[in-house]
Amino acid sequence: MSERILSVLVEDKPGVLARVALTISRRGFNINSLSVGPTNIEGRSKMTIVTELESVEQVKKQLNKLVNVIKIVELDPDNTIESEVLLMKVSINKETQTSVIEKASLSGAKSVDVGQDYAVFELTGTSKELMKFEKLLKPYGIIEMIRGGRIAIQTKL
Amino acid sequence: MTKEMLTGAELIVRTLEHLKISTVFGLPGGAILPAYDPLYDSPIRHILARHEQGAGHMAEGYAQATGELGVVIATSGPGATNLITSLNNALMDSTPLLAITGQVATEAIGNDAFQEAYTVGLTISATKHNYLITDVKEIPQILLEAKHIATSGRPGPVLVDIPKDILNDKTSWVEPKLEELPGYKPTLEANPRMIQQAVELIKNSKKPILYVGGGIIHSKANQELFELSTKYNIPVVTTLMGRGAFPDGNDLCIGMPGMHGNYTATTSIQNSDLLIALGVRFDDRVTANPKFFAQKAKVIHADIDPAEIGKVREPEVPIVGDAKSVIKGLIETLADTEVDTKDWLKEIKEMKKSYPLSYNQEEKGPLKVPYVLEELQKMSEEDSIVVSGVGQHQMWISLHWKFTYPNTWLNSGGLGTMGYSLPAAIGAKVAFPDKQVLALDGDGCFQMTCQELITASTENIPLKIVVFNNGNHGMVRQWQKIFYDHRFSASELTHHTPDYVALAEAMGAVGLRMVEKSDVNRVFEEMFKVNDRPVLVDCVVDPDDMVFPMVPAGGSNDVVLLNEDDLKKI
Ligand SMILES: Cc1ncc(C[n+]2csc(CCOP(=O)(O)OP(=O)(O)O)c2C)c(N)n1
Ligand SMILES: [Mg+2]
């Protein structure tokens, strides 16, 4: 696989996301996913950037030039755990309700809200698993779907 | 005793003094007005530009001539947006610049207040780094940090945006101390293993060439470069930004390669077996189509910016570090090694002889820029600072002027900003009042920032300006001749409007004019006699002259066009 995952430690300052996003778009890099959130260290956020093998070196170097970017680690694809969250609102009716909920539950999704004509599921997994889930429920009519962006962590110390 | 309380505005001035800033360039306005009040009492000299772009280029010229930080001040909104061209220019040419801009009051930010622009957002991509100050206490620390970032590593522009209310807030003075920046640690010392690998390549090379650029000048490594070249007999090509890093008078100097480089510089890179690239970035104006660039050569690429290495060309030996430390390392490790370049130097010497630069100045014909330049150089001092605009004249100066010292050639290389010359020359002359400063500009370029002539007159900055008046955006005309079938769409300016002599006089300068060969020496003599005011020479030149050699954009450096006849080759 030609994908590479970068784990980017940044200072939690206003505008950091804009700086990173501008650097990426300015250089025309291919980015498959970008997510950002707080870490266990105060004043530090972590970005997970999924990019392609061809651009990874330049992405690393250009991002490293940003003063608010502290450290960039390229995760070892063989020792990385990846996860992403998905929220999906699916349309249901009396006939489909049972099979939709059963299918979702077999996929490991949680039903977080079920109404008369809709159900909301939450699923956490790899991007492949999320895509599989989407395909599975597509025939029933997906009203809305949101994915949170991929995050990843290396398994070894 | 209660501590002295200072306003944010006073803190700016106090910090600039603390940082040993002696001159700033700028233009006031509402949001920055509080800062101008304490500036009035400060020993810091403020040069009032007539446009913020001019102020920015002045600070750049000051920085490029001295190798030190240039400082520019502007107000919010249009003041800040007018600065952007110079910020981006400084970014491209790695010039250390500190820009201080006023911003609308903190509580008005985001409300489309009068003269509000999102300065930090607008300049993220045009600066090395930028800041919005949110507390008066931050001012000294952030200004110190900004100077540190602007001047260290690969230098560049840093902008500090300060809301008006914070300029009026008060706090006590605390001397700023540089703290470690977790995300900013430029690598200065070269890795000895990489130096060793580089030396192995140099030892085994028959046709090495030093391909050097602005990085040598930024790291003040010209003496080390001179030693490396002359001790091991390695010839040197100097890029547009590297002119002056190695003396043109030395036999080992080949001059500028690339799109309008001289034949020998461009071709010797193509024939070389080892490029020792120091402080250069394999710019497209040097490489043409990089697929065909120096195909026979291995590459050692040393730069202080790791992102430049491998960006265009993957080197055999990458070295991250300051040029000075890299060259010192190379010399130490090469020690008594002899690099046998005799045949190679002979090949280059013959090339130089067979393909000299040429021009054709007829006795009664129109003036040619290269002829005028050669005459001017004969009459000017060896360490004159030459400041160019962008276009044909820029290429002719870089080709024909003989540079001896670093920081004596200022031009807008990366961004190619018309209008750079006059204000940058003002900045250089302010830095070095006792040196000859020559703004050698194109007529098109001059018209972009000519109002700064008023700045030069009123601030007593007696520089010399030569406007190469070919009545055209000459470089555009040249491309239209070659690539657009002589269809001169929007490139004509006229020779006579404005009347440059009258314009100069109206702006408080002396105006002179030269039209024919017999005028040249007399007018330059007169020009050099004026030392109490700026002086401008309207130098009327041939509109149809073209810059050669030339390698068309995207072509191969193996095919260098030497004259108009060669255009049939493309
Ligand atoms: C701000 C800006 N606008 C447009 C250009 C495109 N451009 C490059 S050279 C040139 C002509 C410059 O004319 P002049 O100053 O008369 O110089 P000459 O080529 O005639 O010597 C133009 C328009 C530019 N480099 N910068
Ligand atoms: Mg012109």
Side-chain angles (χ1 to χ4, degrees), chain A residues 11 13-16 18-20 22-23 26-27 44 57-58 60-71, chain B residues 91-92 118 120-121 124-125 127-131 145 149 154 181-184 305-311 314:
Chain A
E11 286 184 278
K13 290 202 170 159
V16 174
R19 290 177 202 279
V20 169
L22 274 174
T23 303
R26 139 111 226 264
R27 302 274 168 189
R44 301 283 181 266
E57 278 312 311
Q58 269 292 313
K60 274 199 273 185
K61 285 173 167 178
Q62 294 296 345
L63 290 181
N64 249 324
K65 287 175 70 163
L66 297 175
V67 172
N68 301 134
V69 168
I70 297 167
K71 197 170 176 199
Chain B
L91 184 71
M92 290 288 264
Y118 180 26
V120 165
I124 286 179
S125 312
T127 55
K128 184 172 172 184
H129 191 52
N130 62 15
Y131 296 87
E145 224 173 88
I149 292 171
R154 178 178 181 173
L181 301 171
Y184 181 73
D305 180 357
E308 287 306 340
I309 296 175
K311 186 180 82 177
E314 207 55 61

Short mmCIF file of all heavy atoms in Angstrom, two decimals, chain A residues 11 13-16 18-20 22-23 26-27 44 57-58 60-71, chain B residues 91-92 118 120-121 124-125 127-131 145 149 154 181-184 305-311 314:
data_model
loop_
_atom_site.label_atom_id
_atom_site.label_comp_id
_atom_site.label_asym_id
_atom_site.label_seq_id
_atom_site.Cartn_x
_atom_site.Cartn_y
_atom_site.Cartn_z
N GLU A 11 2.11 22.76 18.57
CA GLU A 11 1.73 23.63 19.68
C GLU A 11 0.26 23.96 19.53
O GLU A 11 -0.22 24.25 18.43
CB GLU A 11 2.55 24.93 19.64
CG GLU A 11 3.98 24.75 20.07
CD GLU A 11 4.70 26.09 20.09
OE1 GLU A 11 5.15 26.53 19.01
OE2 GLU A 11 4.81 26.69 21.16
N LYS A 13 -1.84 26.36 19.46
CA LYS A 13 -1.96 27.82 19.38
C LYS A 13 -2.96 28.17 18.29
O LYS A 13 -3.14 27.40 17.36
CB LYS A 13 -0.60 28.43 19.04
CG LYS A 13 0.39 28.33 20.18
CD LYS A 13 1.49 29.37 20.04
CE LYS A 13 2.31 29.41 21.32
NZ LYS A 13 3.63 29.97 21.14
N PRO A 14 -3.59 29.36 18.38
CA PRO A 14 -4.55 29.71 17.33
C PRO A 14 -3.88 29.74 15.96
O PRO A 14 -2.73 30.18 15.85
CB PRO A 14 -5.05 31.09 17.74
CG PRO A 14 -4.24 31.53 18.90
CD PRO A 14 -3.49 30.37 19.42
N GLY A 15 -4.56 29.23 14.98
CA GLY A 15 -4.03 29.32 13.62
C GLY A 15 -3.14 28.17 13.19
O GLY A 15 -2.73 28.12 12.03
N VAL A 16 -2.84 27.23 14.10
CA VAL A 16 -1.94 26.15 13.71
C VAL A 16 -2.54 25.29 12.59
O VAL A 16 -1.87 24.95 11.61
CB VAL A 16 -1.58 25.26 14.92
CG1 VAL A 16 -0.76 24.07 14.47
CG2 VAL A 16 -0.81 26.06 15.94
N ALA A 18 -4.66 26.23 10.41
CA ALA A 18 -4.62 27.01 9.16
C ALA A 18 -3.23 26.96 8.54
O ALA A 18 -3.08 26.82 7.32
CB ALA A 18 -5.01 28.46 9.44
N ARG A 19 -2.20 27.04 9.35
CA ARG A 19 -0.82 26.99 8.82
C ARG A 19 -0.55 25.65 8.15
O ARG A 19 0.02 25.58 7.06
CB ARG A 19 0.19 27.19 9.94
CG ARG A 19 0.21 28.59 10.50
CD ARG A 19 1.19 28.71 11.67
NE ARG A 19 0.84 29.84 12.51
CZ ARG A 19 1.17 31.11 12.22
NH1 ARG A 19 1.88 31.38 11.16
NH2 ARG A 19 0.79 32.08 13.01
N VAL A 20 -0.97 24.58 8.83
CA VAL A 20 -0.73 23.24 8.28
C VAL A 20 -1.53 23.07 6.99
O VAL A 20 -1.01 22.62 5.96
CB VAL A 20 -1.09 22.17 9.32
CG1 VAL A 20 -1.11 20.78 8.69
CG2 VAL A 20 -0.10 22.20 10.49
N LEU A 22 -2.67 25.34 4.95
CA LEU A 22 -2.14 26.18 3.87
C LEU A 22 -0.86 25.59 3.28
O LEU A 22 -0.64 25.65 2.08
CB LEU A 22 -1.85 27.60 4.39
CG LEU A 22 -3.02 28.56 4.37
CD1 LEU A 22 -2.65 29.86 5.04
CD2 LEU A 22 -3.47 28.83 2.93
N THR A 23 -0.02 25.05 4.14
CA THR A 23 1.22 24.45 3.64
C THR A 23 0.89 23.28 2.71
O THR A 23 1.48 23.14 1.64
CB THR A 23 2.08 23.95 4.82
OG1 THR A 23 2.33 25.05 5.68
CG2 THR A 23 3.39 23.38 4.34
N ARG A 26 -0.83 24.73 -0.52
CA ARG A 26 0.13 25.54 -1.28
C ARG A 26 1.09 24.67 -2.08
O ARG A 26 1.46 24.96 -3.20
CB ARG A 26 0.87 26.42 -0.28
CG ARG A 26 2.32 26.62 -0.44
CD ARG A 26 2.63 28.06 -0.85
NE ARG A 26 3.56 28.09 -1.93
CZ ARG A 26 4.87 28.24 -1.81
NH1 ARG A 26 5.39 28.39 -0.63
NH2 ARG A 26 5.64 28.25 -2.86
N ARG A 27 1.52 23.56 -1.48
CA ARG A 27 2.48 22.68 -2.14
C ARG A 27 1.79 21.63 -3.00
O ARG A 27 2.46 20.79 -3.60
CB ARG A 27 3.37 21.98 -1.11
CG ARG A 27 4.13 22.94 -0.21
CD ARG A 27 5.44 23.38 -0.83
NE ARG A 27 6.01 24.49 -0.08
CZ ARG A 27 7.06 25.20 -0.49
NH1 ARG A 27 7.64 24.91 -1.64
NH2 ARG A 27 7.52 26.17 0.23
N ARG A 44 -0.28 20.93 23.83
CA ARG A 44 0.13 20.21 22.63
C ARG A 44 -1.07 19.51 22.00
O ARG A 44 -1.86 18.88 22.71
CB ARG A 44 1.16 19.13 22.95
CG ARG A 44 2.43 19.65 23.60
CD ARG A 44 3.33 20.31 22.57
NE ARG A 44 4.56 20.80 23.15
CZ ARG A 44 4.76 22.04 23.59
NH1 ARG A 44 3.79 22.93 23.54
NH2 ARG A 44 5.92 22.40 24.09
N GLU A 57 7.92 12.62 1.96
CA GLU A 57 9.16 13.29 2.38
C GLU A 57 9.00 14.80 2.36
O GLU A 57 9.38 15.50 3.29
CB GLU A 57 10.34 12.88 1.48
CG GLU A 57 10.97 11.54 1.86
CD GLU A 57 11.28 11.41 3.36
OE1 GLU A 57 11.88 12.34 3.92
OE2 GLU A 57 10.88 10.38 3.97
N GLN A 58 8.45 15.32 1.26
CA GLN A 58 8.26 16.77 1.15
C GLN A 58 7.22 17.28 2.16
O GLN A 58 7.39 18.34 2.74
CB GLN A 58 7.86 17.16 -0.28
CG GLN A 58 9.05 17.50 -1.17
CD GLN A 58 9.77 18.78 -0.74
OE1 GLN A 58 9.17 19.82 -0.48
NE2 GLN A 58 11.10 18.71 -0.65
N LYS A 60 6.65 16.07 5.09
CA LYS A 60 7.35 16.12 6.38
C LYS A 60 8.24 17.36 6.46
O LYS A 60 8.23 18.09 7.43
CB LYS A 60 8.24 14.86 6.54
CG LYS A 60 7.52 13.67 7.12
CD LYS A 60 8.52 12.67 7.69
CE LYS A 60 8.99 11.71 6.63
NZ LYS A 60 9.86 10.64 7.14
N LYS A 61 9.04 17.57 5.41
CA LYS A 61 10.01 18.67 5.46
C LYS A 61 9.32 20.03 5.47
O LYS A 61 9.72 20.93 6.20
CB LYS A 61 10.94 18.58 4.25
CG LYS A 61 11.97 17.47 4.37
CD LYS A 61 12.73 17.32 3.08
CE LYS A 61 13.96 16.46 3.24
NZ LYS A 61 14.64 16.30 1.93
N GLN A 62 8.30 20.17 4.65
CA GLN A 62 7.63 21.48 4.60
C GLN A 62 6.90 21.76 5.91
O GLN A 62 6.91 22.88 6.40
CB GLN A 62 6.68 21.57 3.41
CG GLN A 62 7.38 21.54 2.04
CD GLN A 62 8.28 22.74 1.79
OE1 GLN A 62 8.23 23.75 2.49
NE2 GLN A 62 9.16 22.62 0.80
N LEU A 63 6.24 20.74 6.47
CA LEU A 63 5.54 20.97 7.74
C LEU A 63 6.52 21.24 8.86
O LEU A 63 6.26 22.05 9.75
CB LEU A 63 4.64 19.77 8.09
CG LEU A 63 3.41 19.58 7.20
CD1 LEU A 63 2.60 18.38 7.67
CD2 LEU A 63 2.53 20.83 7.20
N ASN A 64 7.66 20.58 8.81
CA ASN A 64 8.68 20.80 9.84
C ASN A 64 9.17 22.23 9.87
O ASN A 64 9.70 22.70 10.87
CB ASN A 64 9.87 19.87 9.59
CG ASN A 64 9.96 18.82 10.68
OD1 ASN A 64 9.66 19.09 11.84
ND2 ASN A 64 10.36 17.63 10.32
N LYS A 65 9.03 22.95 8.74
CA LYS A 65 9.48 24.34 8.71
C LYS A 65 8.56 25.25 9.52
O LYS A 65 8.95 26.34 9.90
CB LYS A 65 9.53 24.85 7.26
CG LYS A 65 10.69 24.27 6.48
CD LYS A 65 10.66 24.68 5.03
CE LYS A 65 10.98 26.14 4.82
NZ LYS A 65 11.34 26.41 3.40
N LEU A 66 7.34 24.78 9.79
CA LEU A 66 6.43 25.62 10.56
C LEU A 66 6.91 25.69 12.00
O LEU A 66 7.21 24.67 12.62
CB LEU A 66 5.00 25.06 10.50
CG LEU A 66 4.38 25.02 9.10
CD1 LEU A 66 3.02 24.33 9.14
CD2 LEU A 66 4.24 26.44 8.54
N VAL A 67 6.97 26.90 12.51
CA VAL A 67 7.52 27.12 13.85
C VAL A 67 6.69 26.41 14.92
O VAL A 67 7.22 25.95 15.93
CB VAL A 67 7.63 28.64 14.13
CG1 VAL A 67 8.01 28.92 15.57
CG2 VAL A 67 8.66 29.26 13.18
N ASN A 68 5.37 26.29 14.70
CA ASN A 68 4.51 25.65 15.70
C ASN A 68 4.45 24.14 15.58
O ASN A 68 3.79 23.48 16.37
CB ASN A 68 3.08 26.20 15.61
CG ASN A 68 3.02 27.70 15.83
OD1 ASN A 68 2.36 28.42 15.09
ND2 ASN A 68 3.72 28.19 16.84
N VAL A 69 5.13 23.58 14.59
CA VAL A 69 5.17 22.12 14.47
C VAL A 69 6.39 21.60 15.23
O VAL A 69 7.51 21.99 14.96
CB VAL A 69 5.23 21.68 12.99
CG1 VAL A 69 5.55 20.20 12.87
CG2 VAL A 69 3.91 21.99 12.31
N ILE A 70 6.14 20.74 16.21
CA ILE A 70 7.23 20.32 17.10
C ILE A 70 7.90 19.05 16.61
O ILE A 70 9.12 18.96 16.55
CB ILE A 70 6.69 20.12 18.53
CG1 ILE A 70 6.17 21.47 19.05
CG2 ILE A 70 7.77 19.58 19.45
CD1 ILE A 70 5.34 21.34 20.29
N LYS A 71 7.11 18.06 16.24
CA LYS A 71 7.73 16.80 15.88
C LYS A 71 6.83 16.04 14.90
O LYS A 71 5.61 16.03 15.07
CB LYS A 71 7.92 15.96 17.15
CG LYS A 71 8.90 14.83 16.94
CD LYS A 71 9.26 14.16 18.24
CE LYS A 71 10.16 12.97 17.93
NZ LYS A 71 10.21 12.03 19.03
N LEU B 91 10.54 36.48 1.50
CA LEU B 91 10.45 35.04 1.73
C LEU B 91 11.19 34.28 0.63
O LEU B 91 11.96 33.36 0.89
CB LEU B 91 8.98 34.61 1.76
CG LEU B 91 8.73 33.14 2.09
CD1 LEU B 91 9.04 32.85 3.55
CD2 LEU B 91 7.28 32.74 1.78
N MET B 92 10.96 34.69 -0.61
CA MET B 92 11.57 33.98 -1.73
C MET B 92 13.09 34.14 -1.76
O MET B 92 13.81 33.24 -2.18
CB MET B 92 10.99 34.49 -3.05
CG MET B 92 9.55 34.11 -3.26
SD MET B 92 9.35 32.35 -3.62
CE MET B 92 9.30 32.38 -5.40
N TYR B 118 -7.47 40.75 7.77
CA TYR B 118 -6.97 39.62 8.55
C TYR B 118 -5.50 39.43 8.19
O TYR B 118 -5.12 38.58 7.41
CB TYR B 118 -7.80 38.37 8.24
CG TYR B 118 -7.38 37.13 9.00
CD1 TYR B 118 -6.74 37.21 10.24
CD2 TYR B 118 -7.65 35.87 8.49
CE1 TYR B 118 -6.36 36.08 10.93
CE2 TYR B 118 -7.27 34.72 9.18
CZ TYR B 118 -6.63 34.83 10.39
OH TYR B 118 -6.25 33.71 11.08
N VAL B 120 -2.76 38.44 9.77
CA VAL B 120 -2.06 37.18 10.05
C VAL B 120 -2.47 36.12 9.03
O VAL B 120 -1.63 35.42 8.46
CB VAL B 120 -2.32 36.71 11.50
CG1 VAL B 120 -1.93 35.26 11.68
CG2 VAL B 120 -1.53 37.59 12.47
N GLY B 121 -3.77 36.03 8.75
CA GLY B 121 -4.23 35.05 7.77
C GLY B 121 -3.67 35.33 6.38
O GLY B 121 -3.20 34.44 5.69
N ILE B 124 0.25 34.38 6.27
CA ILE B 124 0.81 33.07 6.67
C ILE B 124 1.73 32.54 5.57
O ILE B 124 2.85 32.12 5.81
CB ILE B 124 -0.30 32.04 6.98
CG1 ILE B 124 -0.96 32.35 8.33
CG2 ILE B 124 0.28 30.62 7.02
CD1 ILE B 124 -2.09 31.39 8.70
N SER B 125 1.26 32.60 4.34
CA SER B 125 2.04 32.01 3.24
C SER B 125 3.09 32.97 2.69
O SER B 125 3.85 32.59 1.81
CB SER B 125 1.12 31.59 2.10
OG SER B 125 0.04 30.86 2.59
N THR B 127 5.14 34.74 4.82
CA THR B 127 6.15 34.97 5.85
C THR B 127 6.74 33.64 6.30
O THR B 127 6.18 32.57 6.05
CB THR B 127 5.54 35.65 7.10
OG1 THR B 127 4.45 34.85 7.56
CG2 THR B 127 5.07 37.05 6.81
N LYS B 128 7.86 33.74 7.00
CA LYS B 128 8.43 32.55 7.63
C LYS B 128 7.59 32.18 8.84
O LYS B 128 7.35 31.02 9.13
CB LYS B 128 9.88 32.85 8.02
CG LYS B 128 10.64 31.67 8.61
CD LYS B 128 12.11 32.02 8.79
CE LYS B 128 12.85 30.93 9.56
NZ LYS B 128 14.26 31.27 9.83
N HIS B 129 7.12 33.20 9.55
CA HIS B 129 6.23 33.00 10.69
C HIS B 129 5.54 34.33 10.99
O HIS B 129 6.04 35.38 10.60
CB HIS B 129 7.04 32.55 11.91
CG HIS B 129 6.18 32.05 13.04
ND1 HIS B 129 5.22 31.09 12.87
CD2 HIS B 129 6.13 32.39 14.36
CE1 HIS B 129 4.62 30.85 14.03
NE2 HIS B 129 5.16 31.62 14.95
N ASN B 130 4.39 34.27 11.66
CA ASN B 130 3.78 35.52 12.07
C ASN B 130 3.04 35.37 13.38
O ASN B 130 2.80 34.25 13.86
CB ASN B 130 2.89 36.10 10.96
CG ASN B 130 1.73 35.20 10.59
OD1 ASN B 130 1.39 34.26 11.31
ND2 ASN B 130 1.11 35.46 9.46
N TYR B 131 2.72 36.50 14.00
CA TYR B 131 2.12 36.52 15.34
C TYR B 131 1.00 37.54 15.39
O TYR B 131 1.09 38.60 14.77
CB TYR B 131 3.13 37.00 16.38
CG TYR B 131 4.35 36.14 16.59
CD1 TYR B 131 5.48 36.30 15.80
CD2 TYR B 131 4.38 35.19 17.61
CE1 TYR B 131 6.62 35.54 16.02
CE2 TYR B 131 5.51 34.43 17.84
CZ TYR B 131 6.63 34.60 17.04
OH TYR B 131 7.75 33.85 17.26
N GLU B 145 11.72 37.10 19.78
CA GLU B 145 11.55 35.81 19.11
C GLU B 145 11.46 36.02 17.60
O GLU B 145 12.05 35.27 16.81
CB GLU B 145 10.24 35.21 19.61
CG GLU B 145 10.30 33.74 19.94
CD GLU B 145 8.98 33.31 20.60
OE1 GLU B 145 8.04 32.93 19.86
OE2 GLU B 145 8.91 33.37 21.83
N ILE B 149 13.82 34.39 14.77
CA ILE B 149 13.35 33.53 13.67
C ILE B 149 13.72 34.15 12.32
O ILE B 149 14.13 33.45 11.40
CB ILE B 149 11.82 33.29 13.80
CG1 ILE B 149 11.55 32.43 15.04
CG2 ILE B 149 11.27 32.62 12.55
CD1 ILE B 149 10.08 32.31 15.40
N ARG B 154 17.40 29.50 7.86
CA ARG B 154 17.21 30.18 6.58
C ARG B 154 16.45 31.46 6.86
O ARG B 154 15.29 31.42 7.27
CB ARG B 154 16.40 29.28 5.64
CG ARG B 154 16.13 29.94 4.30
CD ARG B 154 15.37 29.00 3.39
NE ARG B 154 15.13 29.61 2.10
CZ ARG B 154 14.61 28.97 1.07
NH1 ARG B 154 14.28 27.70 1.19
NH2 ARG B 154 14.42 29.57 -0.07
N LEU B 181 12.53 27.47 21.49
CA LEU B 181 11.28 27.29 20.76
C LEU B 181 11.18 25.81 20.41
O LEU B 181 12.02 25.30 19.67
CB LEU B 181 11.27 28.14 19.49
CG LEU B 181 11.44 29.65 19.71
CD1 LEU B 181 11.63 30.38 18.40
CD2 LEU B 181 10.22 30.18 20.44
N PRO B 182 10.15 25.14 20.94
CA PRO B 182 10.12 23.68 20.77
C PRO B 182 10.08 23.23 19.31
O PRO B 182 10.57 22.16 18.98
CB PRO B 182 8.85 23.27 21.51
CG PRO B 182 8.05 24.51 21.69
CD PRO B 182 9.02 25.65 21.71
N GLY B 183 9.51 24.06 18.44
CA GLY B 183 9.35 23.63 17.04
C GLY B 183 10.32 24.32 16.09
O GLY B 183 10.13 24.26 14.88
N TYR B 184 11.34 24.98 16.62
CA TYR B 184 12.23 25.72 15.73
C TYR B 184 13.67 25.55 16.18
O TYR B 184 14.12 26.21 17.11
CB TYR B 184 11.86 27.21 15.72
CG TYR B 184 12.73 28.04 14.80
CD1 TYR B 184 12.58 27.95 13.41
CD2 TYR B 184 13.71 28.87 15.30
CE1 TYR B 184 13.38 28.68 12.56
CE2 TYR B 184 14.52 29.62 14.46
CZ TYR B 184 14.35 29.51 13.09
OH TYR B 184 15.15 30.23 12.25
N ASP B 305 18.23 24.69 4.76
CA ASP B 305 16.81 24.33 4.77
C ASP B 305 16.65 22.91 4.23
O ASP B 305 16.79 22.68 3.04
CB ASP B 305 16.04 25.33 3.89
CG ASP B 305 14.55 25.01 3.84
OD1 ASP B 305 14.13 24.00 4.45
OD2 ASP B 305 13.81 25.78 3.21
N PRO B 306 16.35 21.95 5.12
CA PRO B 306 16.26 20.55 4.68
C PRO B 306 15.23 20.36 3.57
O PRO B 306 15.36 19.44 2.75
CB PRO B 306 15.84 19.79 5.93
CG PRO B 306 15.93 20.72 7.07
CD PRO B 306 16.06 22.12 6.55
N ALA B 307 14.22 21.23 3.53
CA ALA B 307 13.16 21.06 2.54
C ALA B 307 13.65 21.35 1.12
O ALA B 307 13.01 20.96 0.15
CB ALA B 307 11.97 21.95 2.87
N GLU B 308 14.78 22.04 0.98
CA GLU B 308 15.31 22.30 -0.36
C GLU B 308 16.01 21.07 -0.93
O GLU B 308 16.17 20.95 -2.15
CB GLU B 308 16.27 23.49 -0.35
CG GLU B 308 15.58 24.84 -0.17
CD GLU B 308 14.48 25.09 -1.20
OE1 GLU B 308 14.47 24.44 -2.27
OE2 GLU B 308 13.62 25.94 -0.91
N ILE B 309 16.45 20.22 -0.03
CA ILE B 309 17.26 19.08 -0.48
C ILE B 309 16.34 17.97 -0.98
O ILE B 309 15.48 17.48 -0.26
CB ILE B 309 18.18 18.61 0.66
CG1 ILE B 309 19.17 19.75 0.97
CG2 ILE B 309 18.91 17.32 0.28
CD1 ILE B 309 20.08 19.50 2.13
N GLY B 310 16.51 17.63 -2.24
CA GLY B 310 15.65 16.61 -2.84
C GLY B 310 14.34 17.17 -3.38
O GLY B 310 13.52 16.43 -3.90
N LYS B 311 14.12 18.46 -3.26
CA LYS B 311 12.86 19.04 -3.76
C LYS B 311 12.80 18.96 -5.28
O LYS B 311 11.77 18.60 -5.85
CB LYS B 311 12.75 20.50 -3.30
CG LYS B 311 11.42 21.16 -3.64
CD LYS B 311 11.36 22.61 -3.16
CE LYS B 311 12.04 23.53 -4.16
NZ LYS B 311 11.96 24.96 -3.77
N GLU B 314 17.31 14.80 -6.54
CA GLU B 314 17.76 13.94 -5.44
C GLU B 314 19.29 13.90 -5.46
O GLU B 314 19.89 13.47 -6.43
CB GLU B 314 17.18 12.54 -5.63
CG GLU B 314 16.99 11.73 -4.38
CD GLU B 314 16.15 12.41 -3.30
OE1 GLU B 314 14.96 12.71 -3.54
OE2 GLU B 314 16.72 12.66 -2.22
#
